[in-house]
Amino acid sequence: MARKDKSTKEPGRLKQMWQVFQMTRRYDNRALPYLIGGFALPVIVGVLVAIFFSDGNVFTMVLWILAGVLAGVLIALIILGRRAERAAYSQIEGQPGAVGAVLRSSLKRSWRGSEMPIAVNGKTQDAVYRAVGRGGVVLISEGPKSRTSRMSDEERRKVGRVLPNVPVTLITVGPDADSVPLHKIPRTLAKIKPTLTKAEVLAISNRLQSLENPMPIPKGIDPMKVRAQRSR
């Protein structure tokens, strides 16, 4: 059997984390202070608890300090994951397909979305995407509101004709001041008040998909596969 080339071997978990950290720090100047604070605060709390509540028991003190260290590592990893995702999205923000990447990789289970837009302007590459969840149908336009509002209104009318009793929410992702930042799309969807059951969400999603016509539109970008640009 031929041996695998060592150059094609995937990096280990620690090396992957280090690469993620380097990419995050390059595009997010506040990532390092957040990571240090997230790790240091539980450690400090653990040390203080060990000093004042252990009654001189060395074993108990060690356990409290160890618990603080483990909690600090866990919190730091959570912070790194969130800041890394935000840094990755910042690299593709403003590019066609960025909203589709978010819908594909960051939606919660209660929401169903597609990386493919349901409407697109071939000249400007502006697009409208759709997500269905317990909050109803959400139409997310990608591009300046002055160019996408017409497409969004048209898609809202289409949904209204097919599902007249289902609430429809419009969201804009673009350069406008009141637009939703790319990394806040999942959080914005989560804030919408639930009005549908899980069974209704599935039925509505299937109903809307059955009415779609396949469009030759490029798929969304995968932000987690975007490589950081090398400094020249």
Side-chain angles (χ1 to χ4, degrees):
M1 296 177 62
R3 295 182 178 180
K4 293 183 178 180
D5 188 357
K6 294 183 178 180
S7 61
T8 61
K9 185 179 180 180
E10 294 184 359
R13 183 63 59 86
L14 292 178
K15 188 174 181 179
Q16 289 178 353
M17 292 176 60
W18 176 251
Q19 291 174 348
V20 170
F21 170 72
Q22 292 283 21
M23 183 274 293
T24 305
R25 188 176 63 172
R26 178 174 299 180
Y27 292 97
D28 187 355
N29 295 329
R30 293 184 295 178
L32 186 58
Y34 276 108
L35 289 173
I36 294 175
F39 174 77
L41 184 59
V43 174
I44 294 173
V45 172
V47 172
L48 293 177
V49 172
I51 293 174
F52 293 105
F53 296 96
S54 297
D55 296 329
N57 189 316
V58 177
F59 180 73
T60 304
M61 294 178 65
V62 171
L63 287 180
W64 277 114
I65 295 174
L66 181 60
V69 172
L70 293 177
V73 171
L74 177 60
I75 293 175
L77 289 177
I78 294 174
I79 293 175
L80 177 60
R82 292 183 177 179
R83 305 299 294 193
E85 184 179 50
R86 182 171 181 174
Y89 285 144
S90 69
Q91 298 179 58
I92 65 172
E93 193 163 10
Q95 298 184 30
V99 172
V102 176
L103 296 182
R104 179 185 59 199
S105 60
S106 299
L107 284 187
K108 294 183 178 180
R109 293 183 178 180
S110 57
W111 286 91
R112 302 168 65 89
S114 173
E115 63 180 315
M116 300 296 292
I118 58 175
V120 66
N121 186 322
K123 294 182 179 180
T124 63
Q125 295 299 308
D126 298 330
V128 177
Y129 295 81
R130 184 179 62 224
V132 181
R134 296 196 60 191
V137 178
V138 179
L139 300 176
I140 308 171
S141 60
E142 183 180 69
K145 187 179 295 185
S146 59
R147 298 201 308 246
T148 60
S149 58
R150 186 173 181 179
M151 282 195 302
S152 298
D153 291 337
E154 183 178 350
E155 293 302 322
R156 178 169 58 179
R157 286 193 293 269
K158 290 180 181 178
V159 175
R161 287 195 295 267
V162 179
L163 304 166
N165 298 323
V166 176
V168 179
T169 304
L170 300 182
I171 295 177
T172 302
V173 177
D176 303 281
D178 58 345
S179 296
V180 176
L182 191 64
H183 67 278
K184 289 187 178 181
I185 292 178
R187 191 185 311 174
T188 302
L189 296 181
K191 291 181 180 179
I192 300 176
K193 184 179 178 180
T195 57
L196 304 174
T197 64
K198 293 182 179 179
E200 290 173 334
V201 170
L202 179 60
I204 291 171
S205 178
N206 293 336
R207 172 64 173 165
L208 292 174
Q209 289 181 3
S210 66
L211 299 175
E212 292 180 4
N213 294 322
M215 301 175 64
I217 304 169
K219 293 184 178 181
I221 306 166
D222 189 346
M224 305 312 294
K225 294 183 179 180
V226 175
R227 296 183 179 179
Q229 298 178 356
R230 297 181 179 178
S231 57
R232 297 179 179 179

